[in-house]
Amino acid sequence: MASFSLLLGLCSLAEASPFVWADKAGGKDHPLVSRFQGSMIQNYGVMNFEHAEVPVSSTKKEPVEGKVFNYSYYAPKERSPLEVFRNYKLALEKSRFKIIVACEDAPVCQKQGFEEYASLWTGKTGAFAGGYNATSAMDNSGNYPPLYLVGRLSRPEGDVTAVLTVKAPSSSEVPKGAGAVYFLQVIESIPMQTGNVSVNAETLKTGLAAEGKIALYGIFFDTGKAEIKPQSTPQLDEMAKFLTQQKAVKVYIVGHTDSQGVLAANLTLSQKRAEAIVAALVKHHKIDPARLSAKGVASLAPVASNASDAGREKNRRVELIEQ
């Protein structure tokens, strides 16, 4: 999707302030959600995978996970929080973002506690490049109540959530030539990369002894396919090691999918994937096939809700179940 620029309220930086501003070294706008025209990146940072609790009302927070982009901006002098806020709202709407929250009455926003979100994130050590920076922190003291906006773009490859907190400049920021001061967070909802750590043979033994089953996330397949990918080797090696050490153990290899797609097709796919694992253990590790039984149950035994990316990620798994 093409990015957009906030073109309302045009004002050159030279006209906005006598100060010479410059973006923090290495800083650049998010490709989907840019800055208000003439603003300066005061600080920025990227977190490859994080969990956020985004306020959507005074009493409700919505969990969002994925790649997190944090930006602290100064708008040009005399550009008000309301002007910045409405520019963002209009630009997001034009770019097919659904507006979830739009609070432009600062006292009401403060009463609902929306300023606490920006205060939390700008106070995190890992939120910005180079760690915590006091000049980037947005406090929630109430001296400068904020405006607050949340929008979301639905995409097949993962939703994008934009969270904007805008406030008036403090007494220390006015001399810098700042108009509105705003914190923009963009969260690209992508599943966490799993399989970085395989379940070792000892853990397999302990898990089966304790519960009779254990979930494995280190075996990989392309979407809709049953061919085992090469990065699955560490997990298969540990499964083989366990089965070699525990020669009396017989197990079901059970394939699970999420609920996306047609159930009948997913049942067939999960069965073929389970059979592929059995075949790999027999062919490459000489495990007696009589000890292994392949089963595919598709999405019929979820361990989390299939309504979210995070839940579907947990449901896509292989289980080892003692016979």
Side-chain angles (χ1 to χ4, degrees):
M1 176 182 172
S3 62
F4 66 83
S5 295
L6 303 177
L7 298 177
L8 300 184
L10 295 180
C11 178
S12 72
L13 188 59
E15 294 171 350
S17 169
F19 296 92
V20 178
W21 288 0
D23 288 347
K24 181 173 181 177
K28 59 183 179 179
D29 297 336
H30 189 275
L32 293 181
V33 189
S34 67
R35 73 186 75 190
F36 180 90
Q37 184 75 19
S39 295
M40 177 193 75
I41 296 180
Q42 195 266 341
N43 213 345
Y44 73 94
V46 180
M47 309 168 88
N48 286 328
F49 188 87
E50 264 297 338
H51 177 86
E53 295 284 338
V54 179
V56 294
S57 75
S58 60
T59 58
K60 183 180 178 181
K61 295 180 180 179
E62 185 173 306
V64 184
E65 291 185 338
K67 191 170 186 177
V68 177
F69 299 80
N70 298 311
Y71 304 93
S72 173
Y73 287 102
Y74 286 163
K77 187 178 181 181
E78 298 177 354
R79 296 301 180 181
S80 71
L82 184 59
E83 184 178 8
V84 172
F85 176 90
R86 288 188 176 174
N87 269 263
Y88 266 100
K89 183 173 183 291
L90 178 62
L92 289 171
E93 289 173 333
K94 286 184 175 180
S95 297
R96 300 187 296 109
F97 277 73
K98 177 183 178 181
I99 303 302
I100 299 172
V101 181
C103 182
E104 63 175 43
D105 186 330
V108 172
C109 301
Q110 180 182 335
K111 185 176 181 180
Q112 295 195 23
F114 289 139
E115 77 276 11
E116 294 179 5
Y117 186 76
S119 176
L120 169 67
W121 278 93
T122 58
K124 284 181 178 289
T125 301
F128 295 117
Y132 173 74
N133 185 335
T135 62
S136 308
M138 297 185 77
D139 65 52
N140 60 352
S141 64
N143 293 327
Y144 304 94
L147 311 184
Y148 182 76
L149 177 69
V150 180
R152 178 165 298 133
L153 175 66
S154 296
R155 306 186 305 174
E157 65 269 38
D159 295 349
V160 177
T161 302
V163 186
L164 176 73
T165 305
V166 193
K167 70 178 185 67
S170 67
S171 57
S172 63
E173 290 165 331
V174 170
K176 298 177 182 179
V181 176
Y182 57 104
F183 172 66
L184 173 66
Q185 184 178 76
V186 182
I187 305 172
E188 298 178 354
S189 294
I190 54 176
M192 180 179 64
Q193 291 183 349
T194 56
N196 293 318
V197 179
S198 61
V199 178
N200 64 29
E202 186 60 32
T203 303
L204 289 172
K205 176 182 177 181
T206 303
L208 286 178
E211 298 185 24
K213 65 177 183 178
I214 189 166
L216 308 176
Y217 293 91
I219 300 179
F220 302 95
F221 303 88
D222 285 327
T223 302
K225 296 183 179 181
E227 291 76 28
I228 300 173
K229 300 184 75 171
Q231 55 264 49
S232 307
T233 298
Q235 186 60 81
L236 289 169
D237 288 347
E238 290 297 329
M239 293 169 70
K241 181 179 178 180
F242 162 74
L243 291 166
T244 299
Q245 293 173 347
Q246 308 295 319
K247 297 186 181 300
V249 173
K250 295 182 178 182
V251 295
Y252 295 105
I253 306 292
V254 183
H256 297 261
T257 69
D258 59 29
S259 63
Q260 303 297 294
V262 179
L263 176 60
N266 284 339
L267 283 168
T268 299
L269 178 63
S270 60
Q271 177 67 33
K272 288 183 176 179
R273 287 177 172 178
E275 290 172 357
I277 295 169
V278 168
L281 290 171
V282 172
K283 180 179 179 179
H284 300 297
H285 298 280
K286 310 305 179 185
I287 303 299
D288 183 354
R291 300 173 59 195
L292 309 173
S293 180
K295 301 292 180 182
V297 298
S299 58
L300 298 180
V303 291
S305 170
N306 278 298
S308 68
D309 289 335
R312 290 191 290 272
E313 182 76 8
K314 290 180 180 178
N315 290 332
R316 296 191 293 268
R317 68 197 191 279
V318 171
E319 282 188 334
L320 211 62
I321 301 177
E322 189 171 8
Q323 293 188 24

